[in-house]
Every structure is written in structure tokens, then in C-alpha cells.
Amino acid sequence: MEVISFVALAAGLIIGLGAFGACIGIGIMGSKYLESAARQPELMNELQTKMFLLAGLIDAAFIIGTGIALWFATANPFLGQIAAALAAGAK
């Protein structure tokens, strides 16, 4: 029973810290985009393309982390091994 709570805690940390990191990363990237667009307005279209590409990559990393966390929460492949180890230790 204790192992399930640790899996839930780990999944929550993966999702929460991933979201926090993605938000910070996109916020910093957006501020740098606005700063560089103000300095050189003629490069605004090229910078915007690169900014949206990087925003997609940052979001993709967060969504992959969320998918892995939800996979562990619903179908933990280590749960059977842990239960067998606990049963062997109790004998």
C-alpha cells in the first residue's frame, strides 16, 4: 500500500515540476523575444518563427513527462517486482 502512495507522489512531482519548468522557460523565452524584437524590429518575423518552434519543443517535453507520469500511475511496471521483494523479505 505504501508503494502506491509513493508512485502517486512521484507522478505529482513529475507533472508539477514539469509544468513549473515549462512555464518559467516559456516566460523567459517570451521576454527575450520581446526584448530582441524591440532592439531589431526587422528580424521580428524570423525571431517569431524560432520562438514558436522552441515553445512547441518546451511544451512537448512537458507533455512527454506528463504521459510518463500518468503511465507510471496507471500501469506501474515496478509494482510487481516491489511486491515480490516485500513478500520474499517477509518470509
Side-chain angles (χ1 to χ4, degrees):
M1 207 62 173
E2 296 172 4
V3 176
I4 295 172
S5 63
F6 286 137
V7 170
L9 180 65
L13 284 173
I14 290 171
I15 294 171
L17 292 176
F20 180 73
C23 290
I24 296 296
I26 288 179
I28 291 172
M29 182 183 59
S31 70
K32 296 296 181 179
Y33 165 71
L34 290 175
E35 181 181 327
S36 47
R39 288 178 186 246
Q40 293 183 337
E42 66 273 4
L43 295 178
M44 198 160 145
N45 290 333
E46 184 180 337
L47 292 172
Q48 184 178 14
T49 304
K50 291 178 183 178
M51 186 197 72
F52 281 126
L53 178 67
L54 288 173
L57 291 174
I58 291 171
D59 281 341
F62 164 65
I63 290 171
I64 289 170
T66 301
I68 290 172
L70 292 176
W71 177 60
F72 279 142
T74 58
N76 189 354
F78 305 116
L79 194 57
Q81 293 175 356
I82 293 171
L86 290 175
K91 289 182 181 180

